[in-house]
Amino acid sequence: MEAATTATAAMVWLRKGLRVHDNPALDAARRGAGRLYPVFVLDPRYLRPDPAAASPGSARAGLARVRFLLESLTDLDARLRRLGSRLLLLRARDDVADAVCAALKDVSIRPSPPLSMQNLTGFFSSAVGYILTIASQWNIGKLCFESDTEPYALARDKKVTDFAMASGIEVFTPVSHTLFDPAEIINKNGGRPPLTYQSFISIAEEPPEPVMEEYSELPPVGDTGEYELLPVPTVEELGYGDISQEEIPPFRGGETEALRRMKESLQNKEWVAKFEKPKGDPSAFLKPATTVLSPYLKFGCLSSRYFYHCIQDVYRSARNYTKPPVSLTGQLLWRDFFYTVSFGTPNFDQMKGNKICKQYHRIYSPITFGKKYDPNGNYIRHFIPVLKDMPREYIYEPWTAPLSIQKKAKCIIGKDYPKPVVDHETASKECRKRMGEAYASGRLDAIPSKGKPSNLSQRKMSHGDQDASNSSIAKLLKRSRAE
DNA sequence: TTGACGTTGATAAA
DNA sequence: TTTATCAACGTCAA
């Protein structure tokens, strides 16, 4: 007992990866640790209600996602408690990295002004005070957290890593959110992310096996000092007011639910073996044509490697099974593909400054697309009840129905349901025309004028840029010759 | 160097 | 109802 209080203390900082199974960061943190502090920092940027948001939610997440996260935290806490541990929730007043640093070591680096002087209200306003008083008592010797490739996370984690290393704390950041290490894939591809699925597949080999050690117990948390034992807040406590009208999605967060859903899907071995994504019905909502496991993978309630491993198990017992890209494993590989491309592409989430962004001539028709997958319009009938009795042949264009039909369906267009805002045919043609013009003018700017190459802009380009640019120009010239 | 291909979808033509 | 065409470009095989 004496040893437990003096032995090395480790912190596992949880962000995504909200699970006990296949959690290399948790596994590394508990090894040799006398005390283990499993910490999650409530991030105001992610959780604080944003009054300016178009629908209820924070600046970064909608209410459904906020709720899913809170449910996942509740479940994780319960699962840790069964192993003699528990989840320690910290509130960041503003910056998550500051909160983690403060918990790692007695922090005098960022004295916060008295709360009364700050224009802060609500759940997150009282945060840092607690952390400052507990900090020095934890004596963390080792910090483990799962690597995260998103830009916001990279900046946040660098700050924490730099601080921890400078403080003599051992830092371990395994890759376990994706099947593969995106940085390693990019390395193997010569420093650039593979930009087609096929090239990604040819580089990727077999993903690592999941770490599936069954724990009977985890090291105790030990003395939490002055730390206020904070339960997982409710959305109401976070400051989300009148949400009684909000429909709560049927998908509950958490590792327990994730594993249950996965088992349920994988039980039907024939369905698993025959799964082909393009053959699924995207309009199916009562009985989805997919596993609906992606939100669980996103928060790491389910390990993608464990899921992959379990699918392979089913394949082994099947005579025949589908292959990537359409198969279930193919879907996991798509996820890895996009994580890799986004990690290796600056400004991936924007058109501006995004070198691989293709120019968008695709206009989806709200009429044609629906008719193809859901000719009876069941989706519309469910979510827009006023249209539920509209005959099948008019369900996608109810304004074309004769008045007698509209009356019979108890839905007069212009009264019970609005008239079309635009005429799709003319609007899409106009859009297509103007996008074409904008695209053409943009491209022409990039072509050096005859006999007078604009080497000014070319000088700034790397070899790769020149190749890409020249080949585009060649194609454009070829096209204009053909015309 | 060239041509074919890719989780594609919309639309016009046949 | 089926088929051809378009629009983009990285990648790979020929």
Side-chain angles (χ1 to χ4, degrees), chain A residues 8 15 26 50 57 64 85 115 132 137 169 181 206 212 267 312 370 389 424 441 459:
Chain A
T8 319
R15 307 91 59 77
L26 172 66
D50 179 9
S85 182
L115 289 170
L132 286 175
Q137 301 166 18
I169 295 168
D181 180 351
E206 276 300 300
M212 293 307 288
Q267 230 161 32
Q312 295 286 11
D389 293 322
H424 179 74
S441 69
R459 201 172 293 148

Side-chain angles (χ1 to χ4, degrees), chain A residues 9 12 28 39 142 183 185 212 220 258 325 337 370 377 390 415 428 447 453 456:
Chain A
V12 55
V39 164
K142 183 162 72 172
I185 298 276
M212 293 307 288
F337 169 62
M390 193 60 71
K415 179 167 163 267
S428 68
I447 298 180
L456 194 89

Side-chain angles (χ1 to χ4, degrees), chain A residues 7 19 51 87-88 117 128 158 202 268 323 329 353 368 390 406 452:
Chain A
R19 61 173 182 266
L87 190 61
L88 301 170
M117 288 176 66
V128 165
K158 184 182 185 303
S202 64
N268 191 343
K323 303 277 155 55
T329 49
T368 321
M390 193 60 71
Q406 294 184 24
K452 198 179 123 195

Side-chain angles (χ1 to χ4, degrees), chain A residues 165-425:
Chain A
M165 306 250 287
S167 307
I169 295 168
E170 185 190 338
V171 180
F172 178 60
T173 61
V175 173
S176 50
H177 185 64
T178 44
L179 297 174
F180 306 99
D181 180 351
E184 202 178 307
I185 298 276
I186 290 168
N187 259 337
K188 282 187 189 170
N189 195 48
R192 290 190 311 270
L195 291 178
T196 64
Y197 186 79
Q198 285 311 327
S199 60
F200 175 83
I201 295 291
S202 64
I203 292 162
E205 292 164 28
E206 276 300 300
E209 285 290 307
V211 181
M212 293 307 288
E213 191 162 334
E214 295 275 344
Y215 305 122
S216 55
E217 61 175 1
L218 288 170
V221 169
D223 188 5
T224 52
E226 300 286 319
Y227 169 70
E228 178 203 26
L229 294 176
L230 189 72
V232 176
T234 63
V235 286
E236 288 82 5
E237 283 165 343
L238 288 176
Y240 292 93
D242 185 21
I243 48 168
S244 53
Q245 298 302 306
E246 290 292 313
E247 193 172 345
I248 299 178
F251 308 110
R252 312 257 62 85
E255 180 182 11
T256 304
E257 177 65 6
L259 293 172
R260 189 197 67 74
R261 284 196 75 89
M262 185 191 76
K263 285 200 179 92
E264 189 178 66
S265 285
L266 297 188
Q267 230 161 32
N268 191 343
K269 297 188 175 184
E270 196 187 333
W271 181 84
V272 172
K274 288 184 174 169
F275 183 90
E276 289 182 60
K277 180 72 189 293
K279 288 190 179 167
D281 178 358
S283 74
F285 53 93
L286 290 176
K287 191 178 181 302
T290 62
T291 61
V292 200
L293 285 170
S294 74
Y296 301 91
L297 292 165
K298 191 271 173 198
F299 284 107
C301 302
L302 177 63
S303 153
S304 59
R305 288 174 189 167
Y306 181 54
F307 186 24
Y308 188 95
H309 175 87
C310 292
I311 298 168
Q312 295 286 11
D313 265 355
V314 176
Y315 286 165
R316 267 188 284 276
S317 67
R319 223 175 304 136
N320 242 317
Y321 56 92
T322 51
K323 303 277 155 55
V326 296
S327 64
L328 273 181
T329 49
Q331 304 312 304
L332 282 171
L333 291 163
W334 276 109
R335 175 175 177 271
D336 258 61
F337 169 62
F338 283 112
Y339 265 109
T340 305
V341 176
S342 66
F343 176 57
T345 307
N347 304 310
F348 180 78
D349 60 335
Q350 299 163 34
M351 287 182 78
K352 210 174 173 182
N354 179 350
K355 284 169 67 177
I356 66 164
C357 185
K358 291 179 183 178
Q359 304 300 325
Y360 282 6
H361 276 89
R362 184 165 298 173
I363 301 165
Y364 283 80
S365 164
I367 299 159
T368 321
F369 189 85
K371 276 184 178 169
K372 182 173 174 181
Y373 287 101
D374 181 17
N376 193 47
N378 294 333
Y379 192 90
I380 295 174
R381 292 174 204 280
H382 179 84
F383 290 103
I384 311 177
V386 72
L387 286 168
K388 73 178 162 54
D389 293 322
M390 193 60 71
R392 177 189 166 101
E393 56 265 50
Y394 301 113
I395 187 72
Y396 283 99
E397 297 165 278
W399 56 90
T400 63
L403 193 60
S404 60
I405 302 272
Q406 294 184 24
K407 277 180 180 163
K408 203 176 164 193
K410 297 193 183 67
C411 181
I412 309 296
I413 303 304
K415 179 167 163 267
D416 303 307
Y417 187 79
K419 287 180 180 171
V421 179
V422 294
D423 177 66
H424 179 74
E425 198 175 315

